[in-house]
Every structure is written in structure tokens, then in C-alpha cells.
């Protein structure tokens, strides 16, 4: 069986704050922004990865963590070497969704 995750949905209550967070802080490209006011369907994903809509990973976890922390995101976990072999961090986006970012190795 070959399963590919194409899209992951994250609820939000402030589309402008979510847009700033994912576009300006994480550097995702906005693929669509449909609707108006607080009723909008926003699709964003990593630049250069048109088939992936959300699976944050970075080659420099410490730099990414500093950028996210500087925007006053709620830090859930600082960069940590996990016992199962990855290094990651966790924080909450403006809507309170838990986001984990993994370091590429």
C-alpha cells in the first residue's frame, strides 16, 4: 500500500494571524486564500514542495526555533534530542494547534 499525505487541516479562529505565522514566520508559500474576513480557506505549504501541504522540517532547528520564539508563539518544547532518534521542538500556532518541527539529518 502506498499512502501519501497531501493535505492536513488545521482549524483557526484568526486567519490573518495564521497567515502571518505560516507565511512570514515559517516561510511557507500561500497557495490559495479564498473567502473574506474571518471565513477564509487558506492553503499553505513549504516552498518548492507543491505536493506537500504540511510537515514542517528544517536543516537548522535552532535557527527555526529562535525565529518562532521571537514571534511570541507559545513554546511547548525547546529543541530536544528524542530517544527515538530525531531532534525536534514544539509550539502552538495562533489558533492553539500543536506544531512540531523536526530537524532534517
Amino acid at each position: 500500500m502506498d499512502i501519501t499525505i497531501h493535505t492536513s487541516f488545521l482549524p483557526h479562529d484568526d486567519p490573518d494571524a495564521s497567515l502571518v505565522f505560516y507565511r512570514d514566520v515559517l516561510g511557507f508559500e500561500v497557495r490559495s486564500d479564498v473567502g473574506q474576513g474571518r471565513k477564509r480557506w487558506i492553503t499553505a505549504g513549504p516552498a518548492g514542495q507543491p505536493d506537500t501541504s504540511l510537515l514542517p522540517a528544517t536543516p537548522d532547528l535552532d535557527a527555526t526555533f529562535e525565529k518562532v520564539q521571537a514571534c511570541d508563539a507559545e513554546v511547548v518544547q525547546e529543541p530536544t534530542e528524542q530517544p527515538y532518534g530525531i531532534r525536534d521542538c514544539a509550539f502552538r500556532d495562533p489558533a492553539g494547534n500543536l506544531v512540531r518541527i523536526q530537524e532534517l539529518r
Side-chain angles (χ1 to χ4, degrees):
M1 181 183 310
D2 186 14
I3 298 174
T4 301
I5 296 173
H6 177 67
T7 304
S8 178
F9 294 92
L10 296 175
H12 63 81
D13 52 10
D14 185 340
D16 291 322
S18 292
L19 187 62
V20 166
F21 183 77
Y22 285 98
R23 181 193 60 210
D24 301 341
V25 176
L26 292 184
F28 284 10
E29 61 187 13
V30 177
R31 301 200 177 126
S32 68
D33 186 350
V34 181
Q36 53 186 303
R38 296 179 72 82
K39 295 186 179 191
R40 289 164 50 199
W41 181 279
I42 301 168
T43 304
Q49 298 178 41
D51 294 332
T52 303
S53 292
L54 187 62
L55 179 54
T58 181
D60 188 347
L61 186 64
D62 294 317
T64 301
F65 179 79
E66 287 178 20
K67 187 173 183 180
V68 171
Q69 190 176 30
C71 83
D72 294 326
E74 177 190 345
V75 174
V76 176
Q77 174 201 303
E78 294 188 8
T80 303
E81 186 73 36
Q82 300 294 352
Y84 40 88
I86 65 164
R87 186 167 182 259
D88 67 357
C89 66
F91 52 90
R92 296 203 180 277
D93 73 4
N97 297 300
L98 180 67
V99 176
R100 299 192 75 82
I101 296 183
Q102 178 179 337
E103 185 171 64
L104 293 174
R105 293 187 174 174

